[in-house]
Every structure is written in structure tokens, then in C-alpha cells.
Amino acid sequence: VASGPEGSVYVAGTTSSFSSTSSGYGLIVQRIDATGRIVWQKAYGLEAHATLYSPTALESTEDGGMILASTAYIPGHENSKGWIIKLDVNGEIEWQRTYDPGPRNDMITSIVQVQDGGYAVAGWSWSFFGGIWLMKLDQSGNVLWVQDYGSEYITLPGFVGVTSQGDIYVLSNLLPPPFANYDTLVLKVGSNGAKKWAFTYDMSSREISTSATVTPDGGIIIVGYKIVSRNVDDDGWALGLESDGAIAWQANLIGPGIDRAAAIELVPDGTIIVVGETASFGSGDADGWAVKLNPQRGIPGCNSVNGIRSFVQRTTPLLGGANAVQIQQTSTLFAPTNMETIDTVGAAVGICR
């Protein structure tokens, strides 16, 4: 889901119902207005027997349109490829590309528009032994540079963000030997892809970072959860970093049961909104959960969430320097086409209370 113009939202998913392919899957995209009415919905398919997997990244763009990433598998090609499509506000295709940085399976996991109108794209590739690769595109999807930051212990990068100075953050998780606990990995590079710093943040437990947001001063706030007792007790957490990677503040978001922070938003007044799921509060089963932190990182009048205390240690990760790589880019291997438009009026839905 991504915000659109005039209070609308874009929603993307996978479909096999509206495609010219005989056995593959395509993508379906909807624009829904502020009242919940479907403005348009269109399907985008590939050649026969080809498959687009579930969308991995969806972002609105400055022109009111959107950009969408997925993983494509095309018959006759041994490995999967990253794929990006740019749509205008009416769902018309402006451009599409596949991106293949190596000889093995490659995927795109996150994308963000940068100040010059181009895009920073993060992905993961077996071509680099399971490492992160980062790519800068111009406004038309052409590759300006690609770098890999390989380590066989890195899992999928889940966030890419850009500062007002043009620096780029990538968030991932690291599973170093002896492979008992995940660490949170944060990588910061310059606008040319050169690595500035990379640190892991260790909570001495099996923690998973899930989302992040860049702050106006060039720092980053990360949220996630740590597994205390599998399927019984997970604890949410939030971590604020300075622009040099130093820990600015940290907060436990803890109840007696499972509490998982999944996404974060920083509003203009400095308030932090964290959303996720909880089994500690509400009906007792898995419920939606929202936590509001004021600019001082406190939770006024809330005694159900533990206060701020130190629990994170910063270490240097097993991460190499940036290595320039060649990438195979194509817009002619296959041509996703605008398939038939389906219903333009959405069915009524119940209101969540």
C-alpha cells in the first residue's frame, strides 16, 4: 500500500484471474479514493507461462503516480530477475525494466525516490553469496550505478531510505556464526554508493528488524521485535540512531505476551507512530496495535508499555566494502501490457470498530 494524490491510496497484489498468460501470474493494482471507492484497477501480465511474484516494494512518486517492484520468472531463463514498473496516476505504463545483477537468483526488496527524481533500489542476490546490492536509477529506470555489499550472513534488506543530504540507508538482518541470533544491520552509503559506515545492533537475543524511517537530521529510527519465547512472548522495540550510527535512544514496547512492531511513521511534529500486532492487550488474541511516542520518546499516560532503557550494543558487522558490479538491464525481454480494466466500483465493507 502507498499513498496517492487527493487522499487516495495505491494497493498492489498478485492475480491469475486477469491475464493473457496461460499458466503464469501477473500483478493487480488498484487506486482507491478517500471514500473507499475504486478509481481504477488494472492487471499487468507477462508473456505466456511467465510469472510475476508478489509485489516486494510499492512507493508513490512525486508526479502522483507510483513505482512497483516484483520478482519475475521467465521460461527459458534459469534464474529469477528483479523487475520494476512505473505507472502514472491513471495506471498507464510509463516504463518497465528487468534488472539482473548476477548469474543467480536476484530480487528487489525496497525502493525509494530520491531528490533528483531517480530511485534508490535495494535487493538481495545469490550471485553475491546472499548479499545486499544497491542500485541507483534515473527517472526513466536506466541504471546509473550498482554496488554490492556482500556477506553470506545477510538476510533480505527490508528498507531503503534517503536523507535530505542524499545519503542512502539500507536496513537488513544479519545471522552470523554460530547462527543462534539475528542482529540488526544498518548500512549507510553516499549518493554515489560508496559505503560511509555499517554497524550491527545486538540485543543478545533473536531480534528481527522490520521497518525504519529517516529523520530530518539525517538519522534513522528502526523498529522490530525480539523473540523471547517462540510463539509465547515477543517484545517490540524501537531504536533511534544518529547520522553517524551512534545510538541516540532506545525503547522497549513490551507486554506479557506477543508484541511485534511492524511499521513506523514519523509525523512533522516529531511524534513517532509505531504499528504492529499484540496478544498482550485487546481481546487476547492477535490484535492490531498502535503506539505513539512523543518527540521526547515517552508515552504520556501509558503504563502498559515499558519505559526506555538500554538494551542494545553496537558492533561492526561482517560486511565488505562496496564493489561495483555490472548489471544486465532490459526492457525488451518481455513487455508487461495493460490488461483489461475490471470493476471500477468497490464492494461495501464493514467499518472496523
Side-chain angles (χ1 to χ4, degrees):
V1 178
S3 60
E6 301 175 347
S8 64
V9 295
Y10 293 111
V11 181
T14 304
T15 181
S16 60
S17 299
F18 306 97
S19 174
S20 61
T21 67
S22 58
S23 60
Y25 286 81
L27 299 183
I28 186 169
V29 180
Q30 298 176 327
R31 181 184 169 199
I32 302 173
D33 69 17
T35 68
R37 184 183 67 88
I38 296 175
V39 180
W40 54 259
Q41 52 185 359
K42 298 178 181 180
Y44 305 86
L46 306 183
E47 63 187 27
H49 305 289
T51 292
L52 282 173
Y53 295 101
S54 297
T56 52
L58 170 62
E59 291 289 331
S60 55
T61 54
E62 295 174 350
D63 59 7
M66 56 159 287
I67 192 164
L68 176 67
S70 181
T71 301
Y73 175 76
I74 303 98
H77 296 262
E78 183 177 351
N79 300 305
S80 60
K81 306 174 184 295
W83 178 79
I84 297 176
I85 186 171
K86 173 67 174 70
L87 304 178
D88 68 15
V89 70
N90 298 311
E92 299 298 323
I93 297 172
E94 296 186 353
W95 55 263
Q96 62 82 26
R97 299 281 194 278
T98 59
Y99 300 93
D100 188 12
R104 304 178 69 183
N105 290 324
D106 306 302
M107 64 186 302
I108 293 168
T109 58
S110 191
I111 187 169
V112 65
Q113 192 166 30
V114 298
Q115 289 90 336
D116 63 6
Y119 304 92
V121 181
W124 183 87
S125 175
W126 276 112
S127 301
F128 311 125
F129 303 101
I132 292 173
W133 57 282
L134 187 64
M135 176 170 62
K136 174 69 186 302
L137 307 179
D138 67 14
Q139 296 182 31
S140 300
N142 298 305
V143 176
L144 300 179
W145 53 257
V146 186
Q147 303 278 6
D148 83 271
Y149 311 87
S151 170
E152 63 236 74
Y153 308 120
I154 295 174
T155 62
L156 302 182
F159 168 83
V160 60
V162 62
T163 70
S164 58
Q165 295 78 33
D167 294 331
I168 301 168
Y169 281 108
V170 180
L171 173 69
S172 187
N173 292 289
L174 196 68
L175 185 61
F179 310 110
N181 296 317
Y182 285 103
D183 295 334
T184 292
L185 168 66
V186 182
L187 167 68
K188 185 177 183 180
V189 305
S191 58
N192 62 352
K195 187 176 75 174
K196 291 194 167 184
W197 53 259
F199 293 110
T200 54
Y201 299 85
D202 181 13
M203 304 175 197
S204 299
S205 63
R206 196 174 181 88
E207 68 269 2
I208 307 293
S209 58
T210 54
S211 187
T213 187
V214 176
T215 59
D217 61 1
I220 185 173
I221 303 173
I222 307 160
V223 296
Y225 63 93
K226 54 184 177 180
I227 301 171
V228 179
S229 178
R230 184 175 294 275
N231 299 322
V232 176
D233 186 9
D234 294 346
D235 295 340
W237 52 265
L239 174 65
L241 303 180
E242 305 285 0
S243 60
D244 62 357
I247 296 171
W249 59 271
Q250 44 198 296
N252 285 297
L253 311 174
I254 300 174
I258 293 176
D259 307 292
R260 296 172 178 167
I264 181 173
E265 187 71 25
L266 183 66
V267 296
D269 66 359
T271 298
I272 301 166
I273 306 297
V274 181
V275 298
E277 66 170 307
T278 181
S280 298
F281 316 107
S283 67
D285 204 346
D287 296 311
W289 185 40
V291 178
K292 181 178 181 180
L293 302 176
N294 66 25
Q296 290 73 44
R297 317 311 181 203
I299 309 174
C302 179
N303 57 11
S304 62
V305 179
N306 286 8
I308 297 173
R309 64 179 177 84
S310 177
F311 65 98
V312 180
Q313 294 182 340
R314 187 180 74 169
T315 59
T316 302
L318 301 170
L319 190 66
N323 299 303
V325 298
Q326 298 295 319
I327 189 166
Q328 180 183 352
Q329 170 189 325
T330 177
S331 59
T332 57
L333 178 62
F334 56 83
T337 54
N338 221 356
M339 310 309 293
E340 64 265 41
T341 299
I342 54 180
D343 295 341
T344 56
V345 180
V349 296
I351 303 298
C352 179
R353 300 182 185 280

